[in-house]
Amino acid sequence: MTSRPLPERALLVAALRSADLHFQRWASAADWSTDVGRGLTRWRIDARLIPDGDEDDPVTAVVGAEGAGLGDPEPDGTLTILSMTGYTVRPATVSSVFDALDSIDSATAEYLALIDPSSDDWSDDLVEVVDDAEMASLAHIVHSVRVAPLWRGLAPTPELPGAGSFLVERALELLSGEGFALLALKPWPVDTPREDGAEPDPVALAQVERVWGRLGFLPFSGGLWVRATWHRAPDNITEFFDA
């Protein structure tokens, strides 16, 4: 399809106001037969723009612009601008949190650093980084985050977060509605394949780490970053629309 000229920031902000976030959660039926599987679920959060067909609709104007979506619009014009995937572990419903994390796939083995295998509780190192981590009844692992190029770095001033950060924080709030929980992730440069043994470009990695740091995440062991859902991101995340 032919790309349209890049919209001005005001038009993008107007379109973003109408974005819908869709939260899906699922688990394998077979997993229900195991102690570990009962406490594991997978989730996905998508931010979508849906045109209303009006010629003055800002979403209609944005759809088709270069880099506006993570792929081509759907037949009805719906455009996905953010996609976040991950896992949730419920310690109270598994026989071993350590085994639950170890069972997902090789990519989640690095999150075993969150757990003390001798007690199957949150590690002492984690408690030192996240105050009152013992309060957490859940752990949400953010496995991947994708933001369409047009929305990255779209900030009104250097001091305020951009559209990508706003969308990510809004998505994290959906996860935060399920009680006290830990959020854990391993920052990775945007659009860089995450292959076993691969080393990210240090400059690109530092850039994405700064973004997570602005959202309240703190560095932990083994390249992991953590935050608690009761530790909110800086208040200025909401100022994106006001500037």
Side-chain angles (χ1 to χ4, degrees):
M1 63 185 298
T2 302
S3 296
R4 301 176 183 174
L6 295 182
E8 296 181 355
R9 180 184 183 279
L11 185 62
L12 291 173
V13 170
L16 190 61
R17 284 182 178 275
S18 64
D20 291 329
L21 271 73
H22 296 254
F23 188 8
Q24 298 174 290
R25 185 185 296 283
W26 69 95
S28 167
D31 288 344
W32 188 253
S33 64
T34 67
D35 287 343
V36 167
R38 279 196 293 272
L40 276 176
T41 54
R42 291 164 171 79
W43 50 263
R44 174 174 178 151
I45 300 173
D46 292 325
R48 301 171 185 167
L49 299 177
I50 305 175
D52 64 11
D54 191 318
E55 62 179 14
D56 295 327
D57 174 30
V59 174
T60 301
V62 168
V63 171
E66 182 178 356
L70 292 174
D72 291 336
E74 297 177 18
D76 65 353
T78 297
L79 191 67
T80 299
I81 61 176
L82 169 139
S83 183
M84 181 186 299
T85 65
Y87 309 89
T88 297
V89 180
R90 293 175 174 78
T93 56
V94 297
S95 57
S96 169
V97 183
F98 191 91
D99 290 344
L101 287 173
D102 193 39
S103 71
I104 300 175
D105 58 34
S106 59
T108 55
E110 56 202 4
Y111 292 93
L112 295 176
L114 300 172
I115 305 299
D116 179 350
S118 65
S119 64
D120 208 41
D121 203 348
W122 309 121
S123 74
D124 291 340
D125 291 340
L126 177 62
V127 174
E128 289 184 6
V129 174
V130 179
D131 294 339
D132 300 325
E134 302 99 325
M135 295 171 58
S137 58
L138 305 169
H140 299 302
I141 294 174
V142 180
H143 182 60
S144 69
V145 178
R146 299 171 58 220
V147 179
L150 187 58
W151 308 94
R152 302 173 195 165
L154 180 67
T157 70
E159 294 76 25
L160 292 178
S165 295
F166 176 85
L167 289 169
V168 167
E169 181 59 25
R170 189 68 185 91
L172 292 176
E173 285 185 348
L174 294 181
L175 293 174
S176 302
E178 302 191 344
F180 292 118
L182 292 169
L183 299 168
L185 54 88
K186 187 170 186 179
W188 201 259
V190 177
D191 296 334
T192 301
R194 194 166 181 170
E195 301 172 352
D196 290 342
E199 291 293 333
D201 175 73
V203 175
L205 178 60
Q207 182 178 9
V208 74
E209 286 177 340
R210 284 194 294 271
V211 173
W212 287 114
R214 292 190 190 114
L215 292 177
F217 283 79
L218 299 170
F220 183 54
S221 174
L224 302 181
W225 286 56
V226 293
R227 190 185 109 185
T229 55
W230 60 92
H231 292 171
R232 317 301 287 178
D235 290 339
N236 67 7
I237 194 75
T238 62
E239 296 178 19
F240 176 84
F241 288 121
D242 299 330

